Amino acid sequence: MHEMGIVYHVADEVEKIAAQNDICHIGSVTLQIGEVTGVIFDYMSDLWGWVSDKSSLLKGSRLLYEQIPAVTLCKSCGQRYSTVQSGRQCPHCGSWDTVLVQGNEYIIKQIEADS
Amino acid sequence: MDKVKIIEAKESLLADNDKDADRLREEMKQQGTYYVNLMSSPGSGKTSSLKQIIARMKDRFRIGVMEADIDSDVDARTIAASGVDAIQIHTGGMCHLDADMSRQGLSAIGSEKLDLVFLENVGNLVCPAEFDTGADLNVVILSVPEGDDKPLKYPLMFEKADAVLINKIDAMECFDFSLDQVKANIHLRKPSVPVFPVSAAAGEGFEAFCSWLSGQIQKQKEGTRQS
Ligand SMILES: Nc1nc2c(ncn2[C@@H]2O[C@H](COP(=O)(O)OP(=O)(O)OP(=O)(O)O)[C@@H](O)[C@H]2O)c(=O)[nH]1
Ligand SMILES: [Mg+2]
Ligand SMILES: [Zn+2]
Ligand SMILES: [Zn+2]
């Protein structure tokens, strides 16, 4: 399950960031997740409960998230469009020469320390 | 109330992993170890293909294989029986390997003594493509029973491929699978990537792949010597 991998990565990164900033307990972690990463956030928050429980730094903390919409750029006509609505083919000119410009991110946006 | 401190982290997991992977690639290059990441769906023939590749290359290269199985060491034992170093990387249920786990594996197998290391990644066509392992080469295996439309359904995996093996071609008659169609679909995702039809069961088609791979290793050696 991909969500588990991501939750472990997030927990590791948060541990590192906390150590650099002299934080000993975290209240919440806010992620930004791209629309086409395919992760199901509900699974992640369940897994977070399980992973965070094993760490004194993260125990009791909440995992929050914001979605980053997926946007594709058409290299033929230069227009941008919603990837989820139209896929790889440009709805404006029909070209397949398109690239995803955003929507595949996993970003730790912010960490709220409560002590 | 305790005062609450907000840290604007803006840490991108993929970007961090990419940086770590680039560092690892550079370290392996300096050390003279060529590193190949093998990806496919479960059961496409990663282990069977590795046995064929090892048989053809082990006289010329000191080879090691890292098996990233979720919970068993079956594949690692199979590979060890073919006479090269093999280790099991415990993924603890993870669906992909990142650069950090890959580095730990390379250190555990003693990569400094090896010319060529293969990673058999977790069987999955989705997220192993997102996480750069630091390998020099990404090889994707697609087997005939999976269907020739897979490059369309898993675009990222095929965009990341430096070579594609089409395995189980001995079973072509039983399936509605066209080699021309699969090549066209792969090349839509990544133009001009080499495609090698093979049968790991019959041991067919691996000469072409192994000579191509030897060529890639040679190219990198020459590049390192020049710089
Ligand atoms: N007919 C046929 N069967 C094959 C071929 N290559 C592999 N197989 C069979 O496919 C099954 C899976 O092969 P493996 O090599 O274990 O595949 P894998 O990708 O390593 O599998 P996992 O590690 O479990 O993901 C085995 O039963 C093999 O005997 C082939 O070329 N032709
Ligand atoms: Mg295997
Ligand atoms: Zn994953
Ligand atoms: Zn267009």
Side-chain angles (χ1 to χ4, degrees):
Chain A
M1 195 198 324
H2 189 47
E3 284 76 8
M4 171 127 104
I6 299 301
V7 164
Y8 276 127
H9 286 301
V10 171
D12 281 353
E13 280 309 314
V14 172
E15 297 268 358
K16 277 186 220 157
I17 296 167
Q20 285 159 11
N21 291 279
D22 289 325
I23 290 166
C24 43
H25 192 260
I26 302 279
S28 72
V29 175
T30 306
L31 304 181
Q32 289 175 311
I33 299 178
E35 193 178 9
V36 294
T37 54
V39 303
I40 299 169
F41 187 74
D42 282 353
Y43 290 173
M44 284 187 57
S45 57
D46 288 353
L47 288 163
W48 183 256
W50 182 75
V51 170
S52 61
D53 203 43
K54 297 188 170 65
S55 147
S56 61
L57 175 78
L58 304 173
K59 208 177 178 69
S61 65
R62 284 176 311 148
L63 189 67
L64 309 170
Y65 98 114
E66 297 167 4
Q67 193 178 66
I68 299 179
V71 175
T72 297
L73 168 70
C74 172
K75 292 204 248 175
S76 299
C77 72
Q79 298 196 65
R80 286 161 190 259
Y81 61 88
S82 157
T83 313
V84 171
Q85 272 168 30
S86 307
R88 300 187 82 89
Q89 188 177 20
C90 174
H92 305 293
C93 74
S95 169
W96 287 91
D97 190 12
T98 59
V99 285
L100 185 73
V101 289
Q102 62 170 62
N104 63 347
E105 305 76 358
Y106 304 94
I107 294 170
I108 301 174
K109 184 190 178 200
Q110 65 176 38
I111 295 168
E112 179 204 334
D114 58 11
S115 63
Chain B
M1 273 297 281
D2 287 341
K3 56 181 182 316
V4 171
K5 183 172 163 193
I6 304 276
I7 294 169
E8 301 293 338
K10 288 276 173 212
E11 285 269 326
S12 162
L13 297 186
L14 290 178
D16 284 354
N17 185 67
D18 284 352
K19 268 187 246 148
D20 198 18
D22 284 340
R23 273 196 299 274
L24 183 59
R25 232 183 321 272
E26 191 50 39
E27 287 161 31
M28 288 300 120
K29 196 170 162 185
Q30 294 308 325
Q31 171 185 301
T33 305
Y34 198 80
Y35 181 22
V36 179
N37 175 23
L38 204 57
M39 298 181 279
S40 83
S41 308
S44 301
K46 295 180 290 298
T47 308
S48 310
S49 296
L50 276 171
K51 280 164 60 185
Q52 297 291 342
I53 295 165
I54 290 164
R56 285 165 181 77
M57 297 183 80
K58 73 173 175 188
D59 292 341
R60 278 177 300 144
F61 298 94
R62 290 168 299 172
I63 299 178
V65 176
M66 309 193 292
E67 291 288 343
D69 264 352
I70 288 184
D71 202 25
S72 81
D73 64 350
V74 180
D75 287 348
R77 277 190 279 132
T78 306
I79 294 294
S82 68
V84 299
D85 292 344
I87 59 160
Q88 166 83 25
I89 296 180
H90 292 283
T91 56
M94 286 271 273
C95 46
H96 62 264
L97 236 75
D98 60 13
D100 190 49
M101 293 165 83
S102 159
R103 172 181 272 111
Q104 290 173 26
L106 287 164
S107 145
I109 200 171
S111 62
E112 65 284 352
K113 302 187 302 288
L114 301 169
D115 306 310
L116 177 56
V117 175
F118 292 96
L119 166 65
E120 176 172 340
N121 213 315
V122 183
N124 163 357
L125 283 180
V126 186
C127 52
E130 287 179 335
F131 285 84
D132 189 341
T133 55
D136 294 298
L137 208 64
N138 291 313
V139 176
V140 176
I141 302 182
L142 174 65
S143 66
V144 165
E146 295 169 71
D148 52 26
D149 59 348
K150 288 299 164 293
L152 303 178
K153 293 188 176 164
Y154 299 95
L156 187 64
M157 183 52 82
F158 291 87
E159 277 164 29
K160 292 282 163 80
D162 298 302
V164 180
L165 299 185
I166 307 296
N167 189 30
K168 311 196 187 180
I169 52 165
D170 55 287
M172 196 98 88
E173 284 162 21
C174 316
F175 297 91
D176 183 20
F177 187 100
S178 149
L179 264 184
D180 288 338
Q181 188 61 55
V182 82
K183 281 183 190 165
N185 290 344
I186 291 167
H187 289 145
L188 216 61
R189 303 279 65 104
K190 183 143 183 198
S192 79
V193 66
V195 177
F196 300 93
V198 297
S199 166
E204 270 166 31
F206 285 94
E207 275 72 25
F209 174 73
C210 291
S211 80
W212 177 83
L213 176 57
S214 304
Q216 299 298 308
I217 299 170
Q218 192 58 34
K219 249 191 235 166
Q220 183 177 88
K221 279 225 176 80
E222 283 159 13
T224 315
R225 239 178 271 140
Q226 275 160 20
S227 61

